[in-house]
Amino acid sequence: MSVGIWTFAFDTRPIGEVVEAAREIEELGFESIWCGEYRGREAFTQAGLLLAATEKLTVATGIARFGERTPLAAAAAGRTLAEAHPGRFVLGLGGHLPGDRPLRRFTEYLDGMDNAGLISPAAPYRRVLAALGPRMLELAASRTDGAHSYFVPPEHTAIAREAVGPKGYLVVEQSVVLDPDPASARQAAREFVGQYVGMAAHHRANLRRLGFTDDDLTEVSDRLVSAIVASGEQAVHDRIRAHLDAGADHVCVQVISDGLPRAEWRVLADLV
């Protein structure tokens, strides 16, 4: 299994603890760390710290937000990290840009990166686009190395694989709960799903495309929770395998937990 770790948890922890945790993730045998960007550490800076702290782990921005930096800044930062750590950096891009016609704005942003005219040494790296719907998946396939999908079941992974083609790099986030208490595990999963359904119109739209109803979304139904979050060790193992069988190249696992879930990462390492 090609498995990494996806986390927001680093943002709230002292950098010394983050470095220690990253080294342990590498020692446990995971292939990558994917870090989100939302009111925490700046994505490229944190990626550089994690790359410097480890030896062979792939570090990815999952995602660096379009609106937080210019295309030139994103291109320069990506090239810098790729030069310093060959083969170990992945630039995941996504988020929102102001104004209407978002697809056109995303395309213009990628144009700006590609035409930045950088004078620093060329250093290749993978660039992937956060993509759920058909138009974003098409843009990911045509203008980047592939797609990074978040908050999706394996059924979406099969759709995304078809969209990006056999050579596109497809990375899927999978949320999991490893709490041995079924009741508290179910509650944690429901709260997690409810949070995203409540605040993110693009996730609601994607779930509707996958056949979930307004009742599923309003009630945060058991069917919806089970589709998005895998609970329990066997279910986690099976869900990761389902994404890979559906066409994912790599699955990055987000453990739903308060704080830094290092104990759960150790359990996960044994599963995969």
Side-chain angles (χ1 to χ4, degrees):
M1 288 186 176
S2 179
V3 179
I5 295 297
W6 200 107
T7 187
F8 270 127
F10 286 165
D11 283 348
T12 62
R13 309 308 304 166
I15 197 63
E17 188 176 345
V18 169
V19 166
E20 183 180 301
R23 289 172 177 159
E24 182 178 17
I25 288 170
E26 182 172 56
E27 290 170 2
L28 288 170
F30 294 106
E31 296 179 19
S32 70
I33 297 176
W34 291 68
C35 295
E37 183 179 41
Y38 181 72
R39 296 183 180 177
R41 292 190 175 92
E42 193 276 331
F44 290 96
T45 306
Q46 178 157 264
L49 292 168
L50 297 175
L51 286 163
T54 55
E55 297 180 358
K56 55 186 179 181
L57 200 67
T58 296
V59 175
T61 60
I63 52 174
R65 295 182 174 274
F66 285 121
E68 298 301 318
R69 56 194 59 81
T70 65
L72 188 151
R79 184 179 288 196
T80 300
L81 292 177
E83 181 189 4
H85 306 278
R88 295 179 55 208
F89 176 65
V90 176
L91 172 53
L93 286 166
H96 304 283
L97 287 169
D100 56 3
R101 304 183 69 179
L103 194 68
R104 177 179 176 180
R105 292 184 177 274
F106 297 150
T107 302
E108 290 171 348
Y109 193 99
L110 296 173
D111 289 341
M113 290 185 68
D114 293 342
N115 300 315
L118 300 175
I119 62 172
S120 56
Y125 59 88
R126 275 182 170 145
R127 183 176 70 181
V128 298
L129 192 63
L132 295 176
R135 292 190 298 170
M136 286 298 288
L137 286 167
E138 182 180 355
L139 182 63
S142 64
R143 294 298 307 274
T144 74
D145 296 298
H148 174 40
S149 55
Y150 182 97
F151 201 74
V152 295
E155 291 79 5
H156 182 274
T157 299
I159 294 169
R161 169 51 65 196
E162 183 175 358
V164 301
K167 295 183 179 180
Y169 185 58
L170 179 59
V171 181
V172 179
E173 177 269 350
Q174 174 60 54
S175 302
V176 307
V177 177
L178 291 170
D179 186 336
D181 182 338
S184 59
R186 171 61 61 171
Q187 182 62 27
R190 189 177 302 281
E191 290 176 359
F192 176 84
V193 173
Q195 178 184 14
Y196 276 95
V197 169
M199 72 179 185
H202 62 290
H203 284 307
R204 293 194 297 273
N206 189 56
L207 292 170
R208 290 189 183 101
R209 281 192 295 267
L210 295 171
F212 292 95
T213 67
D214 286 343
D215 286 344
D216 286 317
L217 303 181
T218 300
E219 298 170 6
V220 191
S221 68
D222 288 344
R223 182 172 84 101
L224 175 58
V225 173
S226 296
I228 297 299
V229 179
S231 298
E233 294 184 16
Q234 187 61 50
V236 170
H237 178 279
D238 293 347
R239 185 67 58 83
I240 294 170
R241 171 53 60 194
H243 279 295
L244 294 170
D245 289 345
D249 292 298
H250 187 64
V251 179
C252 42
V253 179
Q254 179 176 195
V255 175
I256 300 171
S257 176
D258 294 330
L260 204 59
R262 295 178 68 171
E264 289 90 338
W265 289 339
R266 294 174 197 131
V267 172
L268 182 63
D270 290 336
L271 294 178
V272 302

